[in-house]
């Protein structure tokens, strides 16, 4: 499968705090990669560096072979191809649901209004939010907001979609509706990189799992490798701690 | 009182019109200045900018801060005298009454608005900017379509406040001879020696002006908020908005 993103020796420090160290991995078309790890291990920072919301302090991010960090590619153009779904939704609160899904297409991709509306409706239908086009974000529940945020990201037709704990800010009864949408996306072949604490999602939906600890990739493998035969002690500890917390 | 209204009604009305015109124009221009200054003050240098660009930005910010502090920190009446007579005696420029009045009140309002706008921009959730950047919007687009509209909504009450203040504060322009409402009041009371009656009539006029303005601004605010409820789109409108072909009854709608 074609490689889309390759991260090489990525590093990030905040002051003297080394948050990411020597991160290496790659994302190929159709991959659904779950990133798991303890709080503070650098998962969000990794996604934010990939999306250029944080500036990495070392290493390379290659997008189809072009080093984005070295300016081989226009940053804004790169961002349209790498979508992001945030824990806190970040829907534009001054715009309706429909406009949230259209503005990027019209202003950034320069699509015509009609075309943009068709794409927006297509993806809003996919996430089951087509009826809510006139609503403002604050009129929606958390799960609905997140589904609109997913549609907004999809409407840009990105090659990869990054998710940073998309269900962590949701009430438990709304987690399912968002996970269902993500699962359907994964099945439709969307390339996804998902930071999550939903171990069932990581195990059942993704084809690869990355376990992070202290800013490093501690272990990477298939869900079966990571969940059934973890090689590293840290991974075992994390998973058993996680299971006991959840009472599994 | 009736006598005043009958004989001076016309000049009171034209004084009121002058006051309103100055207040409206100056609040508008003040907002424009305030947005420009507030935008520059919240601008962050791009990470790839060189030392020169950073230096220029810092100097510009310093000058703007000085402007804001000086004009907020001194009485407008003195600013009016300073600019009007100062331009005349130092530079030999004779500003007309109108342009002097408009310049003074605008830059004074601008100084207040700059702080308000800066606060308004900073009060917008940083997630809004990240959401916009994440779909590839440039800094300018993010500001234009996402941040400023929200900042504007947040500071609408203060804009209204400024308009009300300007309606009342144009009275200090009587010092440079602008024939606005307060100037008219002084002429009437000077001619008739009926301070109480003249003051009553003038106060009523000021109050009507400010009250009507604040109601109109409230209405504008609630219009900006949009309806409190939204309609669920029906299949018909969905088919219409999606161009008939795309909307699929089975996948659309609620789960
Ligand atoms: N803007 C910042 N400035 C300084 N330090 C930061 C900043 N953002 C994150 N950090 C630090 O980086 C480390 C990693 O944070 P990060 O948010 O990436 O962790 P995480 O794995 O996403 O955790 P969680 O599961 O709680 O979301 C933390 O120690 C955090 O304090
Ligand atoms: Mg995080």
């Amino acid at each position: 499968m074609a490689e889309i993103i390759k991260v090489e020796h990525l590093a990030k420090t905040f002051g003297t705090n080394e948050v990411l160290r020597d991160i290496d991995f790659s994302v190929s078309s159709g991959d659904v990669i779950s990133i798991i790890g303890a709080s503070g291990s650098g998962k969000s920072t990794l996604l934010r560096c990939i999306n250029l919301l944080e500036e990495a302090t070392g290493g390379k991010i290659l997008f189809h072979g072009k080093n984005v960090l070295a300016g081989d590619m226009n940053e804004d153009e790169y961002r349209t191809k790498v979508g992001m779904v945030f824990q806190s939704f970040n829907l534009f609160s001054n715009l309706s649901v429909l406009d949230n899904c259209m503005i990027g297409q019209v202003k950034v991709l320069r699509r015509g209004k009609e075309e943009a509306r068709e794409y927006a409706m297509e993806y809003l239908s996919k996430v089951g939010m087509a009826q809510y086009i006139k609503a403002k974000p604050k009129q929606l529940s958390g799960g609905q907001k997140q589904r609109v945020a997913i549609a907004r990201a999809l409407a840009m037709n990105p090659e990869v979609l990054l998710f940073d704990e998309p269900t962590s800010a949701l009430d438990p009864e709304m987690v399912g509706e968002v996970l269902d949408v993500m699962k359907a996306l994964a099945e439709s072949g969307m390339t996804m990189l998902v930071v999550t604490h939903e171990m069932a999602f990581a195990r059942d939906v993704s084809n690869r799992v990355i376990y992070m600890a202290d800013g490093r990739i501690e272990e990477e493998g298939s869900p079966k490798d990571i969940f059934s035969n973890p090689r590293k002690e840290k991974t075992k500890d994390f998973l058993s701690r996680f299971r006991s917390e959840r009472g599994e | 009182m009736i006598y005043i209204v009958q004989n001076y009604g016309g000049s009171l009305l034209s004084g009121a019109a002058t006051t309103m015109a100055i207040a409206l124009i100056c609040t508008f221009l003040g907002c424009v200045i305030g947005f420009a200054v507030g935008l520059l003050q919240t601008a962050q240098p791009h990470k790839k900018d060189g030392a020169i660009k950073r230096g220029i930005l810092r100097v510009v910010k310093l000058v703007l801060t000085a402007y804001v502090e000086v004009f907020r920190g001194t009485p407008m009446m003195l600013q009016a005298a300073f600019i009007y007579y100062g331009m005349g005696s130092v530079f030999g420029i004779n500003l007309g009454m109108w342009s002097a009045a408009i310049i003074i009140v605008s830059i004074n309002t601008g100084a207040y608005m700059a702080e308000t706008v800066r606060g308004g921009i900073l009060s917008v959730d940083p997630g809004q900017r990240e959401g916009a950047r994440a779909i590839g919007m440039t800094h300018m687009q993010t500001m234009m379509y996402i941040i400023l509209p929200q900042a504007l909504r947040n500071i609408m009450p203060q804009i209204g406040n400024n308009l009300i203040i300007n309606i009342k504060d144009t009275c200090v322009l009587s010092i440079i001879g602008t024939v606005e409402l307060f100037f008219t009041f002084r002429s009437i009371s000077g001619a008739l020696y009926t301070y109480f009656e003249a003051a009553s009539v003038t106060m009523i006029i000021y109050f009507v002006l400010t009250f009507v303005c604040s109601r109109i601004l409230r209405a504008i605010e609630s219009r900006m908020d949009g309806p409190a409820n939204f309609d669920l789109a029906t299949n018909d409108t969905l088919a219409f908005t999606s161009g008939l072909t795309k909307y699929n009854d089975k996948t659309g709608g609620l789960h």
Side-chain angles (χ1 to χ4, degrees):
Chain A
M1 271 186 288
E3 186 174 85
I4 302 176
I5 293 179
K6 190 167 171 57
V7 175
E8 290 181 354
H9 309 298
L10 195 75
K12 171 72 186 172
T13 54
F14 286 108
T16 56
N17 185 7
E18 284 186 67
V19 177
L20 296 178
R21 314 166 204 223
D22 201 21
I23 302 280
D24 275 303
F25 73 101
S26 64
V27 184
S28 296
S29 173
D31 269 348
V32 177
I33 303 177
S34 290
I35 302 176
I36 60 174
S39 182
S41 55
K43 307 176 301 290
S44 296
T45 308
L46 175 58
L47 282 202
R48 293 168 59 81
C49 282
I50 293 177
N51 196 263
L52 309 180
L53 287 171
E54 295 291 354
E55 196 183 355
T57 41
K60 292 179 182 169
I61 297 172
L62 302 170
F63 185 77
H64 294 294
K66 289 185 197 156
N67 187 356
V68 186
L69 296 179
D72 290 357
M73 189 177 175
N74 177 287
E75 277 187 14
D76 293 322
E77 189 193 339
Y78 166 73
R79 281 202 181 103
T80 64
K81 302 196 169 162
V82 180
M84 176 105 168
V85 174
F86 300 86
Q87 181 174 351
S88 50
F89 328 121
N90 296 352
L91 287 180
F92 306 132
S93 43
N94 57 321
L95 300 178
S96 69
V97 164
L98 182 62
D99 288 336
N100 261 279
C101 298
M102 282 176 63
I103 187 154
Q105 301 185 62
V106 173
K107 300 298 175 190
V108 180
L109 300 180
R110 308 239 162 255
R111 283 184 185 151
K113 282 243 162 84
E114 270 315 308
E115 192 191 1
R117 179 173 290 140
E118 282 188 22
Y119 275 112
M121 291 311 298
E122 180 184 338
Y123 292 110
L124 282 169
S125 308
K126 248 189 195 146
V127 301
M129 288 298 292
Q131 283 192 301
Y132 293 84
I133 47 176
K134 290 183 195 157
K136 286 282 184 71
K138 67 166 183 244
Q139 296 165 322
L140 302 177
S141 72
Q144 293 174 328
K145 280 187 215 173
Q146 196 60 297
R147 286 187 279 147
V148 173
I150 293 172
R152 174 178 74 179
L154 288 173
M156 303 296 288
N157 300 114
E159 287 183 44
V160 183
L161 208 45
L162 314 178
F163 293 80
D164 188 4
E165 299 196 29
T167 57
S168 294
L170 301 178
D171 291 339
E173 68 268 25
M174 294 171 187
V175 170
E177 65 189 53
V178 172
L179 288 180
D180 286 346
V181 165
M182 291 171 62
K183 203 169 159 195
L185 265 183
E187 280 159 7
S188 74
M190 184 75 209
T191 311
M192 296 159 59
L193 196 54
V194 186
V195 170
T196 186
H197 290 295
E198 296 292 332
M199 293 303 154
F201 180 90
R203 193 182 51 217
D204 304 336
V205 182
S206 48
N207 66 333
R208 224 159 10 116
V209 177
I210 290 177
Y211 167 64
M212 283 184 72
D214 299 325
R216 288 180 213 281
I217 294 183
E218 188 69 21
E219 192 166 347
E220 179 179 351
S222 70
K224 227 174 125 204
D225 292 340
I226 300 285
F227 289 105
S228 311
N229 303 304
R231 282 172 293 121
K232 300 276 185 79
E233 279 308 312
K234 276 190 186 172
T235 319
K236 284 181 201 164
D237 283 354
F238 172 75
L239 289 173
S240 64
R241 244 183 304 129
F242 202 89
R243 285 184 182 125
S244 64
E245 270 169 33
R246 296 286 160 114
E248 281 175 30
Chain B
M1 261 168 97
I2 294 169
Y3 179 77
I4 292 177
V5 173
Q6 276 172 348
N7 285 275
Y8 292 92
S11 46
L12 278 170
L13 278 184
S14 84
T18 306
T19 288
M20 268 321 286
I22 293 176
L24 282 172
I25 293 169
C26 295
T27 306
F28 175 75
L29 291 178
C31 285
V32 173
I33 296 173
F35 267 92
V37 174
L39 260 178
L40 279 165
Q41 281 184 326
T42 48
Q44 295 296 332
H46 195 267
K47 55 182 185 265
K48 291 191 189 82
D49 285 346
I52 298 174
K53 249 181 145 176
R54 280 167 194 269
I56 293 175
L57 187 63
R58 187 166 306 164
V59 172
V60 168
K61 280 188 187 179
L62 216 72
V63 172
L64 293 177
T65 308
Y67 154 67
V68 170
E69 295 302 335
V70 168
F71 277 86
R72 287 199 316 164
T74 55
M76 189 158 77
M77 194 181 254
L78 279 176
Q79 292 165 14
F82 183 80
I83 292 180
Y84 184 63
Y85 298 113
M87 284 302 232
S89 58
V90 180
F91 298 105
I93 302 169
N94 186 13
L95 291 171
M97 211 76 82
W98 271 90
S99 38
I102 286 171
I103 290 172
I104 291 155
V105 182
S106 298
I107 55 182
N108 185 282
T109 310
Y112 280 93
M113 285 303 301
E115 279 301 285
T116 307
V117 170
R118 199 174 66 89
I121 291 173
L122 294 179
S123 74
V124 175
D125 170 19
Q128 296 285 310
R129 195 188 73 87
E130 296 193 342
R133 301 294 273 157
I135 54 173
M137 284 197 195
T138 63
H139 174 73
M140 278 296 278
Q141 289 172 330
T142 306
M143 278 293 168
M144 282 293 294
Y145 305 118
I146 309 300
I147 309 292
L148 288 183
Q150 293 183 39
L152 179 68
R153 175 61 193 91
N154 290 347
I155 66 175
M156 267 312 278
Q158 280 98 311
I159 292 178
N161 217 2
N162 265 304
L163 177 62
I164 306 278
I165 289 174
N166 279 342
I167 292 173
K168 295 183 299 169
D169 281 6
T170 45
C171 73
V172 308
L173 293 171
S174 57
I175 195 180
I176 58 169
T178 309
V179 188
E180 41 68 73
L181 190 51
F182 187 74
F183 190 93
T184 314
F185 154 72
R186 285 211 312 197
S187 324
I188 298 171
S189 53
L192 301 179
Y193 297 103
T194 51
Y195 287 96
F196 177 68
E197 286 83 354
S200 308
V201 173
T202 316
M203 264 178 76
I204 290 171
I205 299 178
Y206 270 118
F207 179 75
V208 169
L209 294 181
T210 54
F211 187 75
V212 169
C213 283
S214 74
R215 290 294 118 172
I216 292 175
L217 282 158
R218 283 279 169 77
I220 294 176
E221 276 176 42
S222 56
R223 246 192 101 134
M224 284 171 93
D225 288 340
N229 303 306
F230 62 91
D231 298 329
L232 284 181
T234 63
N235 281 359
D236 286 351
T237 55
L238 283 176
F240 174 71
T241 49
S242 63
L244 285 166
T245 47
K246 284 279 187 294
Y247 184 72
N248 180 336
D249 225 1
K250 293 210 178 63
T251 57
L254 289 158
H255 286 313

